[in-house]
Amino acid sequence: ADLSSVVREQAIVGGISRRNTSQSFQGGELSAFMGGCEIDLREARMAGPEAVIDCFTMWGGIEIKIPHDWVVEPQMSVFAAGFEDATKPPVQPAGRLVVRGTAFMGGIEISN
């Protein structure tokens, strides 16, 4: 398990699957071009009240799994693409994950 407080992954014509269990998670950058990024943050905890992940996908997909007590705030531009927040709203939010960036002919999914 990667204990880095920041994720930085690029998938170009391929796939990446990573798990991050940092107890001081701050965010990061994910890019997928004709490929896929799968990031599992379900055991991570935020360093502060908010973390930001910048996403870019073109002809690809990004999937982020988050803990049940995080709230998702999408700030995405999508073009012939999809963004899905499949998370359940937490009873007691422990942090806000801002997901921002661009999806072009691809998809981004956030789930628990």
Side-chain angles (χ1 to χ4, degrees):
D2 182 9
L3 294 178
S4 169
S5 62
V6 177
V7 292
R8 280 198 175 81
E9 301 293 346
Q10 287 186 319
I12 300 172
V13 197
I16 289 173
S17 182
R18 298 271 191 276
R19 196 170 121 184
N20 186 305
T21 59
S22 170
Q23 298 303 291
S24 58
F25 185 74
Q26 296 174 9
E29 300 170 17
L30 301 174
S31 300
F33 178 76
M34 295 176 70
C37 273
E38 188 179 294
I39 305 295
D40 186 345
L41 300 171
R42 289 176 294 186
E43 294 174 30
R45 294 291 169 261
M46 286 187 195
E50 183 176 282
V52 178
I53 296 181
D54 288 298
C55 295
F56 173 80
T57 181
M58 186 170 189
W59 301 311
I62 294 174
E63 183 181 344
I64 306 170
K65 293 186 189 309
I66 64 169
H68 286 283
D69 55 1
W70 289 10
V71 174
V72 176
E73 182 182 314
Q75 298 177 2
M76 294 293 306
S77 298
V78 294
F79 304 96
F83 178 89
E84 181 182 3
D85 176 1
T87 60
K88 297 175 188 73
V91 179
Q92 289 187 307
R96 174 189 312 277
L97 181 68
V98 178
V99 180
R100 65 185 185 198
T102 304
F104 181 77
M105 297 179 82
I108 295 176
E109 180 186 348
I110 319 291
S111 64
N112 296 125

